[in-house]
Amino acid sequence: MTHDTVQTAPIDGQKPGTSGLRKKTRVFMQEHYLENFVQSVFEAIGGGQGKTFVVGGDGRYFNAQAIQTILKMAAANGAAKVIVGQDGILSTPAASHLIRLNKTDGGFILSASHNPGGIDEDFGVKFNAANGGPAPEGLTGKMFEATKTISEYRIARFEDVDLGSIGTSERGGLTVEVVDPVADYAALMESLFDFDAIRTMFQSGFTMRFDAMHAVTGPYAKDILEGRLGAASGTVANGDPSEDFGGGHPDPNPIWAKPLMDLMMSDDAPDLGAASDGDGDRNMIVGRGIYVTPSDSLALLAANATLAPGYKNGLAGVARSMPTSGAADRVAEKLGIDCFETPTGWKFFGNLLDAGKATLCGEESAGTGSDHVREKDGLWAVLLWLNILAERKQPVQEIVEEHWRTYGRNYYTRHDFEAVPVEKAGALMDGIVARLGDLEGQSFAGLAVTGADEFSYTDPVDGSVSTNQGLRIWFEGGGRAVLRLSGTGTEGATIRLYLEQYRAPQEGTTDPAAEVLEPLRQAVLELAGFEKHVGRVEPDVIT
Ligand code: G1P
Ligand code: ZN
């Protein structure tokens, strides 16, 4: 067996973003591109010698090939063992679980999450640390530094490993164990939820549609929902993972999961609609006739979590990303537990979960999870909803409206302006930053600003500080706008504008969100100068 050392040179732009390194697939396919980054990960973690890793991905184009490269590089870097999902498949939460379950030194997850897949679309690589969570900023910083000085990488020369059959083999001193991607994850879910109660609910006629969006959750959802829980066959739609996600955009929101939305708003709607994204960490929850925003879903799950066996002893705390609405804060307050506000990106929840300060976490971008893994987890959220529905025996709409009547409602929406030229997006953001100190007291489209700042976060566990995490502007009447630039896009800049307006129970909680948020939208469009900088006020995507 030969281990080659290949001469290379730094490649620009290999800086991990909100969630790993994400680029166009063809960029990843360039000579040395993937290899440079993977070697830099090994350098950043102090080498691969004697270590064990988990490797798998969401099955998108280039997944299988990239895995073979990583196996060969792991062997040449002295790794002892790699655990791989059969056919190279592992959802992000399942990979996180395998890292923890097998006490490995970390794992490589190949995915560009909800971004489309295919040779002309997106690919990505994330490294998760030994706690099962995304590499924290200190570690991604080291990776990036290593990409800037790399001069060689190590790769073994052996035949591709057969990933189709479960079992253990040995290559170049490396043990490769191919595992069932679903089994351990499904067992973990059974330990958290009352499968008997959910099965009884399905037996009594409860109906559901789960849209796997041709992505990784298909096999997981079929095994758990249709297999173990007895949901009718056909409950899981688009359940076969495909390399380009059936040509679609595997992002579970009302825009990209429109067929599911249409069904749920029709007379034929089942009791529950749900969807997950490319790599299985996001979720969408829709009741018959009602879409549950991810921010509300987090609050509802927090308020009802003790109905599931895994959370029957209560929650240590909850955490939400800064742009996520304050709905969860109200629940935490009532429960008498902490609610942490972190920067965007799941990596910021890791320390809180490890330290036992938070049990549930969530982001407005359809991410919800708990301390059972160190990633957000789409199917977990769906199962917690099912467990709650099995206990409460009420329709989703009734549960949501009851929640609003108790806590009030944080009306919420997000507007994305995509593929904006980088300089223009920067000018818009810089223009606000330059005026941050003067905004208070000024009015825009008739709404007065009551406060504004740039969010920075001090991690309560390790004291690390993350600055420049988005702009927050508060308005009279309880409105809040947040602006930040996406860290996951692969084309130009994406400006995300988040709008939130709280209304107390007696102020009305069932009005159309767009109507309630319109004055706020007008105010922030004017304040930020969208027309001037971007040339438009209409976003590409509203979620
Ligand atoms: C987006 C979401 C963020 C999420 C990330 C990875 O990041 O906004 O909440 O953690 O994808 O799924 P962004 O593109 O905004 O940086
Ligand atoms: Zn994802």
Side-chain angles (χ1 to χ4, degrees), residues 18-19 22 113-114 281-282 321 344-346 363-365 376 414 484-489 496 498:
T18 311
S19 188
R22 212 174 276 189
S113 188
H114 49 288
D281 57 359
R282 293 187 175 200
S321 67
T344 296
W346 207 261
E363 293 196 276
E364 54 64 44
S365 52
K376 51 190 182 254
R414 182 177 103 186
R484 56 180 285 282
L485 297 181
S486 158
T488 58
R496 301 206 196 282
Y498 312 77

Side-chain angles (χ1 to χ4, degrees), residues 319-332:
R320 63 163 173 85
S321 67
M322 180 275 280
T324 305
S325 94
D329 304 40
R330 294 172 197 283
V331 174

Side-chain angles (χ1 to χ4, degrees), residues 282-364:
R282 293 187 175 200
N283 73 91
M284 172 165 116
I285 299 292
V286 209
R288 185 181 287 141
I290 187 168
Y291 166 68
V292 186
T293 68
S295 295
D296 275 347
S297 181
L298 173 65
L300 277 145
L301 293 180
N304 293 282
T306 52
L307 295 175
Y311 306 95
K312 66 174 189 303
N313 296 328
L315 308 176
V318 293
R320 63 163 173 85
S321 67
M322 180 275 280
T324 305
S325 94
D329 304 40
R330 294 172 197 283
V331 174
E333 196 183 340
K334 189 159 176 202
L335 293 173
I337 56 176
D338 283 333
C339 183
F340 298 90
E341 187 178 35
T342 58
T344 296
W346 207 261
K347 60 187 168 211
F348 292 102
F349 294 133
N351 278 348
L352 296 170
L353 294 167
D354 284 347
K357 287 180 178 292
T359 309
L360 293 198
C361 304
E363 293 196 276
E364 54 64 44

Side-chain angles (χ1 to χ4, degrees), residues 291-503:
Y291 166 68
V292 186
T293 68
S295 295
D296 275 347
S297 181
L298 173 65
L300 277 145
L301 293 180
N304 293 282
T306 52
L307 295 175
Y311 306 95
K312 66 174 189 303
N313 296 328
L315 308 176
V318 293
R320 63 163 173 85
S321 67
M322 180 275 280
T324 305
S325 94
D329 304 40
R330 294 172 197 283
V331 174
E333 196 183 340
K334 189 159 176 202
L335 293 173
I337 56 176
D338 283 333
C339 183
F340 298 90
E341 187 178 35
T342 58
T344 296
W346 207 261
K347 60 187 168 211
F348 292 102
F349 294 133
N351 278 348
L352 296 170
L353 294 167
D354 284 347
K357 287 180 178 292
T359 309
L360 293 198
C361 304
E363 293 196 276
E364 54 64 44
S365 52
T368 339
S370 88
D371 58 0
H372 69 291
V373 289
R374 292 294 179 275
E375 286 278 5
K376 51 190 182 254
D377 188 344
L379 257 178
W380 166 90
V382 175
L383 290 167
L384 181 48
W385 263 100
L386 283 170
N387 202 149
I388 291 166
L389 292 169
E391 291 298 329
R392 290 192 50 168
K393 301 180 171 57
Q394 288 170 284
V396 173
Q397 178 153 11
E398 217 173 283
I399 292 177
V400 173
E401 292 183 355
E402 219 175 281
H403 185 93
W404 291 336
R405 280 198 299 277
T406 309
Y407 296 92
R409 176 173 173 190
N410 292 69
Y411 286 93
Y412 191 84
T413 192
R414 182 177 103 186
H415 290 200
D416 291 339
F417 298 80
E418 295 175 345
V420 177
V422 173
E423 333 69 68
K424 292 190 176 175
L428 180 142
M429 296 294 285
D430 293 346
I432 307 174
V433 173
R435 292 179 291 144
L436 264 187
D438 309 324
L439 288 175
E440 192 177 325
Q442 288 190 47
S443 286
F444 299 89
L447 263 192
V449 174
T450 57
D453 72 3
E454 186 160 27
F455 182 58
S456 76
Y457 177 66
T458 304
D459 186 298
V461 179
D462 67 14
S464 60
V465 177
S466 303
T467 55
N468 306 326
Q469 296 296 326
L471 305 175
R472 303 189 286 189
I473 305 158
W474 292 272
F475 292 88
E476 62 181 330
R480 181 186 80 151
V482 171
L483 290 114
R484 56 180 285 282
L485 297 181
S486 158
T488 58
T490 54
E491 239 180 282
T494 294
I495 304 171
R496 301 206 196 282
L497 167 61
Y498 312 77
L499 303 171
E500 175 182 2
Q501 175 72 52
Y502 176 69
R503 278 201 186 162

Side-chain angles (χ1 to χ4, degrees), residues 20-326:
L21 182 66
R22 212 174 276 189
K23 297 284 172 196
K24 288 286 164 207
T25 309
R26 285 189 194 273
V27 172
F28 261 105
M29 292 169 73
Q30 283 166 28
E31 198 182 15
H32 305 321
Y33 195 94
L34 173 68
E35 291 85 348
N36 270 20
F37 185 67
V38 171
Q39 187 64 46
S40 299
V41 172
F42 283 124
E43 301 305 328
I45 61 171
Q49 196 62 39
K51 292 182 179 170
T52 298
F53 300 101
V54 168
V55 180
D58 62 12
R60 69 180 60 220
Y61 186 88
F62 196 52
N63 186 56
Q65 205 178 321
I67 289 176
Q68 298 293 345
T69 300
I70 293 173
L71 290 177
K72 291 168 190 172
M73 292 188 68
N77 279 278
K81 182 176 174 183
V82 174
I83 299 169
V84 199
Q86 187 179 20
D87 295 323
I89 293 287
L90 281 180
S91 76
T92 287
S96 179
H97 179 50
L98 284 179
I99 292 170
R100 295 164 64 75
L101 183 70
N102 296 287
K103 301 196 169 40
T104 71
D105 298 285
F108 293 86
I109 304 175
L110 311 176
S111 171
S113 188
H114 49 288
N115 294 14
I119 192 165
D120 292 314
E121 298 294 351
D122 294 352
F123 191 77
V125 178
K126 323 185 253 189
F127 181 79
N128 281 27
N131 73 343
E137 283 205 319
L139 190 52
T140 54
K142 280 188 194 163
M143 294 173 194
F144 183 43
E145 286 313 310
T147 67
K148 293 194 278 190
T149 54
I150 189 166
S151 59
E152 55 183 42
Y153 60 82
R154 285 183 284 289
I155 188 158
R157 302 288 166 193
F158 52 66
E159 288 286 295
D160 282 0
V161 178
D162 171 19
L163 300 178
S165 351
I166 289 172
T168 302
S169 60
E170 219 243 77
R171 291 293 167 93
L174 177 76
T175 302
V176 181
E177 185 184 354
V178 178
V179 299
D180 177 339
V182 179
D184 288 321
Y185 176 82
L188 175 66
M189 294 301 114
E190 288 206 44
S191 75
L192 295 172
F193 303 115
D194 188 344
F195 272 38
D196 288 338
I198 302 173
R199 205 176 295 117
T200 304
M201 177 171 74
F202 276 119
Q203 272 160 8
S204 324
F206 183 90
T207 53
M208 174 180 185
R209 185 176 183 89
F210 179 91
D211 191 341
M213 304 188 86
H214 303 281
V216 80
T217 44
Y220 295 84
K222 277 194 226 162
D223 178 297
I224 296 174
L225 299 174
E226 296 182 10
R228 296 168 199 244
L229 292 170
S233 109
T235 295
V236 177
N238 304 317
D240 294 319
S242 81
E243 285 197 331
D244 67 346
F245 309 118
H249 205 122
D251 196 359
N253 63 39
I255 311 296
W256 299 115
K258 191 166 182 303
L260 178 66
M261 276 302 277
D262 290 347
L263 173 70
M264 295 309 296
M265 299 304 144
S266 77
D267 292 341
D268 304 323
D271 296 299
L272 180 69
S276 190
D277 72 329
D279 61 330
D281 57 359
R282 293 187 175 200
N283 73 91
M284 172 165 116
I285 299 292
V286 209
R288 185 181 287 141
I290 187 168
Y291 166 68
V292 186
T293 68
S295 295
D296 275 347
S297 181
L298 173 65
L300 277 145
L301 293 180
N304 293 282
T306 52
L307 295 175
Y311 306 95
K312 66 174 189 303
N313 296 328
L315 308 176
V318 293
R320 63 163 173 85
S321 67
M322 180 275 280
T324 305
S325 94

